[in-house]
Amino acid sequence: MLTELHIRDFAIIDELALHFDAGFVVLTGETGAGKSIIIDAVEMLLGGRADTTLVRAGADIAHVEGTFLLAPSVEAQVLAILEREDLSEEPRTVHLSREIRREGRNICRVNGRVVTLSILSEIGEWLIDVHGQSEHLSLLRVREHLTLLDRYADVEYQKNTFQDFYTRLTMVRKELAKLRKKEASAARQTEFLTYQINEIEAAALQPGEEPELIEERTRLANAERLAQLSEQALRFLENDIDTQASAIDLIGRSFGLLEQLKAIDESLQTVVERSQIVQDALVDLLRELRDYRDKIEFNPQRLDIVEERLSLIHDLKRKYGDSIEAILASAQAAQVELDQISHAEERIASLSQTETELLSQIGQTGALLSKVRRQAALQLGEAIEQELTDLKMAGAQFGFNLSWRDAPDGAPVDERRLAFTERGFDQLEFLVAPNPGEGLKPLAKIASGGETSRLMLGLKGVLAKADQTPTLIFDEIDQGIGGRVGAIVGEKLWRLAASHQVLCITHLPQLAAYGDQHIKVEKQIEEGRTLTRTRSLTPHERIPEMASMLGDISDANLESATDLLHNAAALKQKVA
């Protein structure tokens, strides 16, 4: 439940600190005092729409912060989100805050850490349901009716089962459409893929051959120069050049002299050994250089072959990839696609069979889902009619039109083919007859604001009992309702507070009398500016506040206010 709410520089609120008790909390005050602004702040805290116009004039930042004590009904779900996002702190408490800056920046925090708006909204959905004045319109939107019924019927298991089949069917139909489209151009695509595969396979490419060919091309193109340089190096090493001794002869003579030196001075042993190593290395060098010279090939025909091979590789790289490995991968991919086309008929037949099976399963689960909804709709109608009777609309009827639509590609149900969405087969519209003998008509055509208000109260009263959200906020939903019905509404909201924390903004003292906590919202003028102030009223302070709600603080109204509080207290004690 919501235990604390802090608001700063939001609209006409400069600073507010509200503490909420469990049970039924009523907020009262004159029009324009800022009651609905408090609810707007809560909605923004939960991830609702916010803009810079909400920043109080003269301030740079609007700030809202709330502390929630997690109810057992939602504790596991909220803690799972907190752990997933590494936001866990206190075991059963969560702190939400949001800032709107005048320059447009929007900052959301959970337990003091910055989060995205989507995470704030995800957590907020589990904590509070706000039923504002605009909620009257939700009943007039036919597309919302099925959602409201499902919420009452508790059909999550049936819906999840149906949606699983629906998702699988969507994937199957998507693949079927793709295969059938390919099948239409299969001949042309087969010819193209076969050409690609044959072209690559005919090249008989080998990974790593391109660098080797480039090296060979370099040697063949420079064979004459390579032979010339190697021959010259050999002449320096082993032949007389202009009557000068070769390098090998000079090294040999030097080695002989070193042997004579060692015979005299044994300390030159190491020098002689190193000289021997140099002489041996030079002999190896000569052998390798001769081998290289002998292998140098003057072969223009081979050079042409290498050039043609490299040109072929270059062309294939331009078409299929930037390396031989990429070219070979393209051939494999083309072969896979060709195999798919070749086996398309088999795959289409298999998928078509799967489609038929899934449609059959959708037909069965969808029919079951519809049956559960229809039964729940009858129960919902009875419950709402009872609520309307309590709200002084005896004889009012509440019904529904739950219909199916045929479609040639639909799911089979009782020799029909039914259209469906991820929500099932059903199209639902609530019907109502406010007065006996009028006949059921679409709810959207009900004109009376008071009747709509009571219908909404009846529906919300029934649905809220099945609602797991711990805190329910009602913003002036008593609009269009007289004081006689207000007491009944107050009693119903108080009874609802046995399983929820209920916050309600009201102008009816008959309703306010049932509050367990009574908060007065008032506006004050300070230094030419309108400010909102709140205070939690004591039992004694409630009497003049409720008297002023009746008209003025007269003896008669004070007495009436006292009676209202006494009657409400007596009923509460009796129920308890």
Side-chain angles (χ1 to χ4, degrees):
M1 71 176 196
L2 177 62
T3 59
E4 296 181 15
L5 181 67
H6 295 267
I7 306 172
R8 186 174 66 249
D9 293 327
F10 184 88
I12 64 171
I13 298 174
D14 61 338
E15 186 92 31
L16 274 186
L18 291 161
H19 299 269
F20 298 105
D21 296 336
F24 184 26
V25 182
V26 295
L27 293 88
T28 64
E30 62 182 292
T31 301
K35 302 184 298 299
S36 292
I37 292 175
I38 294 173
I39 306 305
D40 292 340
V42 172
E43 290 189 286
M44 189 187 82
L45 178 64
L46 300 175
R49 180 180 172 274
D51 57 56
T52 56
T53 61
L54 296 172
V55 181
R56 181 171 171 266
D60 295 323
I61 303 172
H63 180 87
V64 182
E65 181 177 355
T67 301
F68 298 83
L69 181 64
L70 297 179
S73 59
V74 298
E75 185 175 5
Q77 294 87 339
V78 174
L79 289 180
I81 300 172
L82 296 178
E83 291 174 5
R84 184 193 73 201
E85 302 296 335
D86 194 24
L87 298 170
S88 298
E89 199 167 276
E90 300 177 42
R92 291 193 57 202
T93 302
V94 61
H95 304 274
L96 306 183
S97 70
R98 191 169 178 192
E99 293 179 2
I100 303 296
R101 298 176 181 262
R102 188 168 294 282
E103 75 273 13
R105 192 179 177 195
N106 186 333
I107 300 176
C108 306
R109 289 186 174 89
V110 174
N111 289 336
R113 295 175 221 175
V114 176
V115 298
T116 63
L117 180 59
S118 62
I119 292 175
L120 185 74
S121 300
E122 185 181 3
I123 294 172
E125 287 176 358
W126 289 101
L127 302 176
I128 293 181
D129 267 347
V130 179
H131 306 294
Q133 298 178 51
S134 61
E135 284 291 307
H136 290 72
L137 300 177
S138 68
L139 292 180
L140 306 183
R141 293 193 292 266
V142 176
R143 65 180 180 275
E144 300 289 343
H145 292 180
L146 190 61
T147 300
L148 293 170
L149 175 62
D150 285 349
R151 184 172 147 198
Y152 174 79
D154 190 20
V155 291
E156 284 303 307
Y157 175 77
Q158 293 89 340
K159 281 176 63 178
N160 290 339
T161 302
F162 183 90
Q163 287 169 359
D164 178 57
F165 290 131
Y166 177 87
T167 300
R168 290 163 58 188
L169 178 66
T170 300
M171 295 174 64
V172 166
R173 283 183 163 176
K174 185 176 180 180
E175 186 177 353
L176 269 173
K178 187 177 179 181
L179 285 173
R180 284 168 178 156
K181 185 177 179 180
K182 282 186 176 182
E183 191 179 36
S185 57
R188 184 172 66 254
Q189 186 72 358
T190 298
E191 182 179 351
F192 175 67
L193 292 171
T194 302
Y195 170 80
Q196 288 184 320
I197 294 168
N198 290 341
E199 183 180 31
I200 295 173
E201 288 182 347
L205 299 174
Q206 297 297 323
E209 71 168 304
E210 187 179 17
E212 296 176 0
L213 288 169
I214 292 173
E215 290 180 8
E216 184 179 3
R217 179 181 63 182
T218 300
R219 290 194 299 271
L220 289 169
N222 297 277
E224 184 176 354
R225 179 64 174 160
L226 293 173
Q228 181 183 9
L229 292 173
S230 58
E231 184 65 33
Q232 189 173 1
L234 285 169
R235 288 177 60 202
F236 278 115
L237 288 170
E238 64 179 354
N239 297 330
D240 290 337
I241 303 174
D242 298 331
T243 70
Q244 294 181 5
S246 69
I248 197 72
D249 289 337
L250 293 174
I251 292 294
R253 293 174 189 175
S254 174
F255 181 71
L257 293 173
L258 287 173
E259 285 283 356
Q260 294 179 35
L261 286 171
K262 187 193 75 165
I264 299 171
D265 186 355
E266 287 294 331
S267 66
L268 292 176
Q269 176 65 34
T270 302
V271 174
V272 171
E273 291 174 355
R274 288 164 58 193
S275 175
Q276 182 65 55
I277 292 172
V278 170
Q279 190 175 30
D280 292 342
L282 188 58
V283 171
D284 290 339
L285 174 62
L286 279 170
R287 183 173 62 253
E288 291 177 11
L289 189 54
R290 289 192 199 100
D291 291 342
Y292 177 78
R293 179 197 60 187
D294 294 341
K295 290 178 181 178
I296 293 174
E297 183 179 11
F298 296 91
N299 191 340
Q301 291 181 340
R302 176 58 185 170
L303 178 59
D304 290 342
I305 292 171
V306 171
E307 291 283 11
E308 288 176 5
R309 182 67 175 172
L310 286 171
S311 178
L312 172 63
I313 293 172
H314 175 75
D315 289 342
L316 293 175
K317 284 169 65 178
R318 181 171 51 83
K319 291 181 181 180
Y320 303 111
D322 57 3
S323 65
I324 288 178
E325 289 76 11
I327 296 169
L328 295 173
S330 294
Q332 291 178 346
Q335 186 63 58
V336 169
E337 189 173 354
L338 184 60
D339 291 342
Q340 288 178 344
I341 293 174
S342 301
H343 299 90
E345 289 186 8
E346 298 175 14
R347 182 59 178 164
I348 288 173
S350 174
L351 288 173
S352 296
Q353 179 62 33
T354 302
E355 179 186 29
T356 300
E357 293 171 357
L358 286 171
L359 282 171
S360 177
Q361 291 168 321
I362 283 174
Q364 295 172 20
T365 56
L368 177 60
L369 175 60
S370 184
K371 180 180 179 181
V372 174
R373 282 172 171 164
R374 189 174 294 275
Q375 292 171 345
L378 291 170
Q379 296 170 2
L380 176 64
E382 292 174 1
I384 290 175
E385 286 176 2
Q386 181 58 53
E387 291 283 317
L388 294 177
T389 298
D390 295 342
L391 294 169
K392 305 303 180 184
M393 289 182 67
Q397 291 181 287
F398 189 90
F400 60 93
N401 178 21
L402 195 151
S403 60
W404 293 344
R405 183 172 58 85
D406 293 312
D409 61 344
V413 177
D414 297 334
E415 299 183 355
R416 294 177 62 183
R417 286 279 178 176
L418 299 181
F420 56 88
T421 68
E422 70 278 3
R423 303 172 74 187
F425 300 129
D426 303 312
Q427 299 180 68
L428 177 70
E429 183 174 13
F430 289 147
L431 307 175
V432 67
N435 302 299
E438 290 187 354
L440 291 169
K441 296 178 182 178
L443 181 61
K445 295 184 178 180
I446 297 299
S448 167
E451 288 173 344
T452 304
S453 295
R454 280 186 273 181
L455 285 167
M456 187 273 292
L457 280 170
L459 183 60
K460 289 297 182 185
V462 172
L463 294 178
K465 293 173 184 176
D467 197 339
Q468 296 299 307
T469 310
T471 298
L472 306 176
I473 297 179
F474 296 89
D475 183 10
E476 297 188 15
I477 60 165
D478 53 13
Q479 193 174 44
I481 294 174
R484 187 163 57 96
V485 179
I488 299 171
V489 174
E491 179 188 343
K492 287 186 174 295
L493 292 177
W494 174 77
R495 290 179 182 272
L496 184 60
S499 56
H500 300 74
Q501 181 192 43
V502 178
L503 278 61
C504 179
I505 291 177
T506 181
H507 289 287
L508 291 177
Q510 294 85 351
L511 189 158
Y514 284 88
D516 299 315
Q517 180 186 11
H518 190 153
I519 297 174
K520 181 178 181 179
V521 182
E522 52 192 346
K523 61 181 177 181
Q524 299 176 0
I525 307 298
E526 297 180 9
E527 298 180 358
R529 299 192 63 176
T530 302
L531 303 175
T532 295
R533 296 286 182 260
T534 63
R535 58 194 176 95
S536 188
L537 301 180
T538 64
H540 180 72
E541 290 173 327
R542 294 183 71 185
I543 295 174
E545 169 64 10
M546 292 176 57
S548 67
M549 294 169 69
L550 287 166
D552 55 26
I553 305 179
S554 63
D555 291 340
N557 285 339
L558 287 170
E559 184 178 353
S560 295
T562 302
D563 288 341
L564 288 174
L565 288 168
H566 175 77
N567 293 337
L571 184 141
K572 289 181 179 181
Q573 188 174 9
K574 182 179 179 180
V575 172

